[in-house]
């Protein structure tokens, strides 16, 4: 399935003056009005001129100094507590924060939330989320991600452009009872803007260094008193930040674009329906990794350029019934993912290995919940959840000329050297592709319940308890082969006698399946001193699903070839090489939330301890041709978090967030008994020990002036130390990035200047070891730009 796509823009039909910011770019793009119809509608909608003056009176501030007082959504379709008084660590990202910090994707949330870290490296395929020292950098996921209550089941779909986000909630710690599988570290929930609640037209254009250009537009309108529609579109591009020395071209240019649609219908006082759909496409250079030596990262230098293209599409239908006694909610979701990854897996100018992986996935989810809606002390919630995902992956690992000469041919030569009676086999191929087709369908279901009793024994004391039964079944259908053309010679005295030319064909195929059943309980106590201050204690269970690896099948096929001709070598069973077990955890948390100074200063403090069993970590296969998940015994994470939000005056405010995570292995050994490496007490790699964010904003309103408003803000985001290996012998020290923003507003228009990594701090965003070499990606350098925003 390939959906229509165009990088053309049609903004000049709307406002030639705005396009003067990037006229040179647009002159290079051919106009295609038909393919731009969706974006054109955003501007030509009848709401462009209708009641503009009235809307200007109703529009909320885009940057709110007193973020303490921003209206946030407190209800949930299945939670028995208000989100703001939840007995757990939860952070709210409001529209003013999104605007102030230019948050565009989930990766932009990194470090601005305590103990929440997502490094930006590789491609949009890679979304390694770490919360409280627990996470996963490649396959699998340890957090749940939701958009308007619908889960995204594949981490490959997490990195997309935010469009009209009303609120982001980040819950830290296991959320297994209400959210089930793969919510072991927490969840991220995005809520989009409802056109029934807010109607406006917004246009944003931006440009910057490194060839940056951004365009974003949205319109939300009331079609009738009870029906509203919202449509959004965006386009992004940049030239890339790193140069491939082999080709002399940028290694990581990016183009992406997409659109979303939402229709809300207030059917009657009890029933509401919401239908949404989205489409997103990205085409980017990827994996700009360079050789790492003594803390220095060389420029990328490889002969086979990396590339990643991806199409995402999805739809969601939500039906809600609310009366004075209960709330019923049905959420049906569909997600489509189609991507193509090309990678030089030896990351060198030599022609050793290259990889081409294509994924096609279709997923369905359904969740039914019913919860109480009374003012009674007892609140309850019940739910059913089911899902099915069908993933088909085509992977071709190709061994090129240098790989054959230096790796494969020496293995055949050694067979002859060890046994002169054995024939001498010489590979005739210039390259050897190892194609494979892998189908990994997964389905499952769950039933869950949660109860909260308020004012238990005494006023202000509440108890929340819940339990979930989660079932999942995963299958693997694999078909892979390796074909070689061989010249076979036999030793006859001092001479070699040619026997024959032969085609060696080795094929593997089979079916595997596994299933998991988990019971996920939770219990929490909370005591409210008053409505604005409370303490809590929580014990919760988390669970991350097991499954199958597929990127190591090229090595498995090569082992099968070797086993044919080397009687001293025995290949391991496929199941034992590709499967990994679920990961589970128990977490204990104490916390306080409240106002230190009413309407001026609020704080959140939490301390936690987490035990993890069968922790899943990423490892490279022996040849370096791919990454796999494997279980690494037991681990623990202990730490604390502090968040402060202050509105010092009507014009000046700040926020501070700090998280500390001491995440270490409790039991992890590798290798055989004699050469085993014991990592007891070592830090879990890729998870930072500290995250820190300090944000300050000054927002001045003016009267009788040529501008209505002036605002300036500064953010300092930091993290570290980050260990890159289980041996803890390579690491990134604590580092910070300074970002600045400044802007003015007049009427419906605003212009903003911004700069990221102002001090041009050099740091390592990612490190790994492959084929005996250390490789890394440097962090993004100093960038700057300007945005123009219109809001009607």
């Amino acid at each position: 399935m390939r959906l229509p796509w165009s990088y053309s823009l049609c903004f000049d039909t709307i406002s030639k003056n705005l396009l003067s910011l990037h006229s040179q770019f647009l002159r290079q793009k051919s106009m295609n009005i038909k393919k731009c119809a969706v974006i054109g509608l955003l501007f030509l909608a009848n709401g462009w001129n209708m009641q503009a003056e009235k809307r200007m009176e109703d529009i909320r501030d885009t940057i709110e100094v007193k973020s303490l007082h921003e209206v946030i959504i407190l209800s949930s379709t299945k939670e028995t507590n208000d989100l703001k008084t939840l007995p757990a660590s939860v952070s709210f990202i409001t529209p003013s924060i999104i605007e102030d910090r230019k948050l565009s994707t989930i990766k932009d949330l990194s470090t601005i939330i305590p103990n929440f870290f997502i490094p930006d490296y590789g491609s949009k395929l890679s979304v390694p989320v770490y919360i409280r020292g627990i996470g996963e950098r490649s396959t699998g996921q340890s957090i749940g991600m939701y958009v308007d209550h619908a889960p995204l089941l594949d981490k490959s779909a997490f990195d997309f452009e935010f469009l009209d986000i009303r609120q982001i909630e980040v819950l830290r710690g296991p959320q297994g009872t209400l959210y089930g599988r793969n919510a072991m570290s927490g969840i991220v929930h995005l809520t989009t803007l409802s056109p029934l609640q807010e109607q406006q037209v917004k246009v944003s254009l931006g440009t910057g260094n490194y060839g940056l250009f951004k365009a974003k537009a949205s319109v939300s309108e009331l079609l009738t008193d009870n029906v509203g529609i919202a449509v959004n579109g965006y386009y992004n591009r940049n030239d890339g930040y790193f140069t491939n020395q082999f080709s002399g071209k940028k290694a990581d240019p990016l183009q992406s674009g997409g659109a979303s649609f939402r229709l809300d219908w207030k059917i009657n006082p009890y029933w509401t329906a919401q239908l949404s759909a989205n489409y997103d496409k990205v085409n980017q250079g990827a994996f700009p990794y360079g050789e790492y030596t003594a803390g220095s990262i060389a420029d990328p230098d490889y002969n086979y350029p990396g590339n990643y293209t991806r199409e995402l599409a999805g739809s969601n239908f939500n039906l809600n019934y609310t009366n004075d006694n209960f709330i019923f909610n049905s959420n049906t979701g569909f997600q489509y993912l189609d991507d193509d990854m090309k990678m030089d897996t030896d990351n060198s100018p030599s022609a050793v290995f290259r990889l081409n992986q294509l994924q096609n996935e279709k997923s369905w989810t359904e969740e039914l919940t019913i919860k109480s809606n009374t003012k009674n002390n007892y609140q309850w919630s019940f739910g059913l959840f089911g899902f099915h995902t069908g993933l088909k992956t085509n992977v071709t690992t190709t061994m090129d000329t240098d790989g054959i000469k230096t790796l494969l041919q020496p293995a055949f030569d050694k067979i002859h050297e060890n046994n002169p009676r054995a024939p001498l086999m010489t590979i005739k191929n210039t390259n050897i592709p190892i194609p494979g087709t892998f189908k990994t369908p997964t389905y499952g279901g769950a039933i869950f319940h949660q109860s909260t009793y308020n004012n238990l024994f005494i006023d202000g004391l509440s108890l929340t308890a819940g339990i979930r039964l989660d079932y999942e079944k995963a299958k693997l259908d694999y078909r892979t082969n390796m074909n070689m053309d061989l010249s076979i010679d036999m030793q006859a005295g001092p001479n070699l006698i040619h026997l024959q030319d032969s085609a060696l064909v080795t094929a593997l195929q089979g079916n595997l399946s596994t299933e998991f059943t988990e019971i996920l309980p939770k219990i929490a106590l909370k005591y409210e001193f008053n409505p604005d201050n409370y303490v809590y204690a929580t014990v919760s269970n988390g669970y991350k699903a097991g499954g199958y690896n597929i990127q190591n099948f090229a090595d498995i096929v090569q082992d099968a070839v070797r086993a044919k001709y080397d009687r001293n070598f025995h290949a391991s069973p496929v199941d034992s090489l590709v499967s990994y077990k679920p990961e589970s955890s128990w977490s204990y948390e104490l916390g306080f939330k409240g106002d230190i100074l009413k309407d001026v200063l609020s704080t959140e403090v939490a301390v936690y301890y987490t035990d993890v069993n069968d922790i899943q970590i990423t490892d490279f296969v022996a040849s370096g041709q791919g990454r796999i998940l494997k279980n690494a015994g037991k681990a623990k994470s202990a730490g604390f978090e502090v968040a402060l939000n202050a509105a010092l005056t009507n014009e000046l405010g700040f926020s501070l967030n700090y998280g500390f995570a001491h995440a270490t292995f409790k039991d992890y050994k590798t290798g055989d008994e004699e050469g085993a490496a014991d990592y007891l007490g070592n830090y879990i790699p890729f998870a930072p020990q500290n995250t820190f964010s300090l944000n300050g904003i000054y927002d001045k309103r003016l009267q009788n002036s040529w501008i209505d408003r002036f605002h300036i803000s500064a953010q300092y985001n930091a993290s570290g130390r980050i260990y890159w290996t289980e041996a803890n012998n390579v690491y990134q020290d604590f580092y910070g990035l300074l970002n600045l923003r400044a802007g003015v507003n007049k009427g419906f228009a605003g212009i903003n200047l911004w700069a990221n990594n102002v001090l041009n701090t050099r740091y390592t965003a990612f490190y790994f070891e492959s084929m005996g070499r250390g490789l890394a990606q440097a962090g993004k350098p100093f960038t700057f730009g300007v945005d123009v925003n219109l809001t009607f």
Side-chain angles (χ1 to χ4, degrees):
M1 177 177 178
R2 293 286 178 183
L3 302 179
W5 173 251
S6 173
Y7 289 116
S8 303
L9 299 175
C10 56
F11 292 112
D12 60 324
T13 62
I14 309 306
S15 177
K16 293 182 180 179
N17 291 330
L18 290 177
L19 291 182
S20 64
L21 292 172
H22 217 279
S23 57
Q24 183 178 2
F25 170 79
L26 290 179
R27 284 197 296 268
Q28 296 172 353
K29 299 293 180 178
S30 63
M31 302 309 299
N32 188 330
I33 300 300
K34 181 177 179 181
K35 292 186 177 181
C36 292
V38 174
I39 299 177
L41 286 173
L42 302 179
F43 300 96
L44 298 175
N46 60 358
W48 177 264
N49 293 313
M50 185 180 65
Q51 297 179 345
E53 293 183 1
K54 179 180 183 299
R55 289 182 184 172
M56 284 303 302
E57 298 174 359
D58 296 336
I59 290 173
R60 295 181 296 107
D61 298 333
T62 56
I63 300 179
E64 180 71 45
V65 173
K66 293 187 177 181
S67 60
L68 292 173
H69 309 143
E70 275 196 288
V71 176
I72 61 176
I73 301 169
L74 299 179
S75 62
S76 165
T77 59
K78 49 192 173 184
E79 177 59 60
T80 51
N81 299 272
D82 283 345
L83 293 178
K84 198 169 184 179
T85 59
L86 198 67
S89 295
V90 56
S91 298
F92 296 96
I93 308 298
T94 59
S96 69
I97 299 175
I98 294 173
E99 180 71 18
D100 177 33
R101 302 199 180 192
K102 287 180 61 66
L103 305 179
S104 298
T105 71
I106 186 175
K107 290 178 179 177
D108 295 332
L109 302 180
S110 183
T111 73
I112 72 171
I113 297 166
N115 276 325
F116 185 90
F117 180 70
I118 308 178
D120 186 3
Y121 67 79
S123 70
K124 287 184 176 289
L125 172 71
S126 305
V127 189
V129 186
Y130 291 85
I131 300 180
R132 295 179 171 178
I134 305 299
E136 181 49 59
R137 73 175 176 88
S138 61
T139 309
Q141 64 194 68
S142 59
I143 72 157
M145 187 164 180
Y146 290 73
V147 179
D148 290 330
H149 309 292
L152 304 180
L153 298 182
D154 194 315
K155 194 171 64 174
S156 300
F158 282 9
D159 189 1
F160 57 88
E161 187 76 11
F162 290 168
L163 295 175
D164 264 6
I165 301 300
R166 175 64 185 83
Q167 179 174 298
I168 305 173
E169 305 137 31
V170 180
L171 278 68
R172 301 184 297 282
Q175 306 298 324
T177 301
L178 292 182
Y179 295 94
R181 63 191 295 273
N182 298 342
M184 200 183 78
S185 297
I187 69 158
V188 176
H189 182 209
L190 280 65
T191 304
T192 60
L193 182 70
S194 169
L196 293 178
Q197 298 174 348
E198 188 168 347
Q199 300 84 47
Q200 61 184 13
V201 176
K202 297 175 68 175
V203 182
S204 175
L205 292 175
T207 187
N209 61 341
Y210 292 97
L212 174 68
F213 176 70
K214 287 190 169 188
K216 195 178 279 191
S218 66
V219 58
S220 55
E221 280 291 342
L222 286 177
L223 302 180
T224 70
D225 290 342
N226 298 320
V227 179
I229 187 172
V231 186
N232 309 272
Y234 87 96
Y235 171 81
N236 289 344
R237 73 171 302 278
N238 66 65
D239 292 337
Y241 304 95
F242 308 102
T243 300
N244 183 357
Q245 298 304 296
F246 184 88
S247 64
K249 299 179 180 179
K250 289 293 186 182
D252 58 330
L254 167 72
Q255 290 193 88
S256 65
S260 68
F261 161 87
R262 173 168 168 169
L263 181 70
D264 285 16
W265 179 19
K266 183 71 174 178
I267 302 171
N268 57 42
Y270 302 105
W271 288 95
T272 58
Q274 172 198 325
L275 175 65
S276 62
N278 65 276
Y279 173 72
D280 186 272
K281 179 165 182 174
V282 61
N283 184 359
Q284 67 177 138
F287 319 112
Y289 306 141
E291 187 125 17
Y292 181 96
T293 306
S296 177
I297 305 174
D299 290 329
D301 188 9
Y302 41 76
N303 64 307
Y304 184 68
N307 185 258
Y308 182 66
T309 61
R310 185 194 67 189
E311 285 182 299
L312 292 176
S315 62
N316 183 40
F317 179 68
N318 189 274
L319 189 63
N320 181 276
Y321 175 84
T322 301
N323 64 23
D324 293 336
N325 296 313
F326 66 89
I327 300 172
F328 168 79
N329 195 80
S330 170
N331 191 286
T332 305
F334 170 75
Q335 295 98 41
Y336 170 85
L337 181 148
D338 186 64
D339 70 3
D340 184 351
M341 177 183 74
K342 295 179 175 65
M343 185 178 184
D344 187 324
T345 51
D346 58 272
N347 294 280
S348 76
S350 301
V352 184
F353 287 114
R354 51 190 161 96
L355 175 72
N356 185 197
Q357 174 180 288
L358 296 94
Q359 295 184 119
N360 185 275
E361 182 177 48
K362 301 178 183 69
S363 302
W364 290 91
T365 61
E366 175 64 42
E367 185 168 69
L368 303 173
T369 60
I370 184 170
K371 57 178 284 188
S372 56
N373 190 36
T374 65
K375 302 299 182 181
N376 300 333
N377 283 331
Y378 177 62
Q379 301 293 317
W380 50 266
S381 172
F382 291 91
L384 294 171
F385 174 75
F387 78 95
H388 180 274
T389 178
L391 174 62
K392 180 180 179 180
T393 307
N394 290 311
V395 181
T396 300
T397 300
T398 301
M399 180 179 287
D400 280 319
T401 306
D402 295 328
I404 294 172
K405 290 180 179 179
T406 60
L407 298 175
L408 192 55
Q409 183 60 55
F412 284 111
D413 294 342
K414 189 173 183 180
I415 294 174
H416 179 72
E417 291 173 7
N418 293 337
N419 181 13
R421 295 183 179 181
L424 176 63
M425 293 173 286
T426 304
I427 302 170
K428 299 172 62 178
N429 306 72
T430 56
N431 61 72
I432 302 174
I434 307 174
T437 299
F438 307 94
K439 297 179 181 179
T440 50
T442 307
Y443 61 87
I447 182 172
F448 58 89
H449 165 68
Q450 180 170 291
S451 289
T452 295
Y453 198 94
N454 296 306
N455 301 314
L456 179 68
F457 306 128
I458 58 175
D459 289 345
L461 181 65
S462 67
L463 172 68
T464 297
I467 194 166
R468 182 187 187 101
L469 176 63
D470 212 281
Y471 171 79
E472 177 174 345
K473 184 165 186 175
K475 297 181 179 180
L476 171 62
D477 180 355
Y478 59 92
R479 302 286 187 274
T480 184
N481 64 82
M482 180 178 180
N483 300 333
M484 286 190 299
D485 294 325
L486 297 174
S487 174
I488 302 178
D489 301 282
M490 183 65 71
Q491 192 78 39
N495 301 316
L496 284 175
I497 300 175
H498 180 68
L499 297 182
Q500 62 176 349
D501 291 332
S502 177
L504 174 62
V505 179
T506 302
L508 292 178
Q509 64 180 38
N511 297 277
L512 302 172
S513 67
T514 186
E515 57 185 6
F516 318 108
T517 301
E518 295 287 334
I519 297 177
L520 303 167
K522 177 182 75 174
I523 188 167
L525 278 172
K526 180 178 68 175
Y527 179 72
E528 292 186 358
F529 302 102
N530 56 55
D532 297 320
N533 297 271
Y534 67 93
V535 293
Y536 66 89
T538 300
V539 179
S540 54
N541 188 208
Y543 155 64
K544 183 161 65 172
Y548 296 105
N549 295 295
I550 62 172
Q551 284 196 11
N552 58 336
F553 265 92
D555 279 23
I556 295 173
V557 173
Q558 292 177 60
D559 284 349
V561 171
R562 180 180 174 185
K564 281 186 177 182
Y565 295 96
D566 187 352
R567 55 189 173 187
N568 296 319
F569 178 79
H570 301 283
S572 300
V574 173
D575 191 11
S576 66
L577 296 173
V578 301
S579 62
Y580 56 92
K581 297 183 293 184
E583 176 182 332
S584 62
S585 70
W586 278 100
S587 185
Y588 312 88
E589 181 176 337
L590 296 172
F592 166 80
K593 298 181 184 181
D595 289 343
I596 298 176
L597 295 174
K598 182 69 173 178
D599 296 331
V600 176
L601 180 64
S602 71
T603 185
E604 298 179 18
V605 180
V607 295
Y608 69 89
Y609 176 85
T610 303
D611 262 323
V612 184
N613 289 318
D614 294 314
I615 185 171
Q616 298 170 5
I617 66 168
T618 299
D619 195 16
F620 275 83
V621 299
S623 67
Q625 298 174 52
R627 295 180 289 265
I628 61 171
L629 279 182
K630 68 177 184 180
N631 297 102
K634 298 179 180 180
K636 64 179 179 180
S637 179
F640 65 91
E641 300 159 350
V642 178
L644 294 171
N645 290 280
L648 301 181
T649 70
N650 289 333
E651 299 167 345
L652 180 64
F654 80 90
S655 63
L656 181 150
N657 293 278
Y658 173 73
F660 172 74
H662 184 83
T664 58
F665 292 110
K666 292 174 62 177
D667 178 19
Y668 177 31
K669 294 181 180 179
T670 63
D672 55 35
E673 291 298 324
E674 291 186 8
D678 191 347
Y679 296 129
L680 173 66
N682 283 16
Y683 288 93
I684 296 174
F686 296 94
Q689 297 176 32
N690 303 274
T691 60
F692 176 81
S693 176
L694 178 63
N695 177 72
I697 180 170
Y698 177 76
D699 189 350
K700 179 68 175 178
R701 308 305 170 114
L702 302 170
Q703 295 182 354
N704 302 319
S705 175
W706 64 278
I707 61 172
D708 296 334
R709 179 165 164 251
F710 167 76
H711 51 89
I712 185 169
S713 65
Q715 303 95 36
Y716 183 76
N717 303 323
S719 61
R721 169 181 291 186
I722 304 170
Y723 288 99
W724 298 118
T725 64
E726 289 89 347
N728 289 179
N729 56 347
V730 186
Y731 56 84
Q732 167 63 56
D733 264 328
F734 186 83
Y735 69 95
L737 306 179
L738 177 63
N739 304 324
L740 300 177
R741 310 276 185 267
V744 295
N745 292 77
K746 180 64 176 180
F748 61 81
I751 184 168
N752 300 287
L753 304 176
W754 58 268
N756 291 335
N757 194 6
V758 173
L759 303 179
N760 202 27
T761 300
R762 299 182 183 275
Y763 63 98
T764 301
F766 177 51
Y767 172 91
F768 64 99
E769 295 177 352
S770 176
M771 302 179 67
R773 300 162 60 221
L775 297 159
Q777 179 175 328
K780 290 181 180 177
F782 168 60
T783 57
F784 62 88
V786 58
D787 298 330
V788 176
N789 304 302
L790 302 178
T791 304
F792 298 90

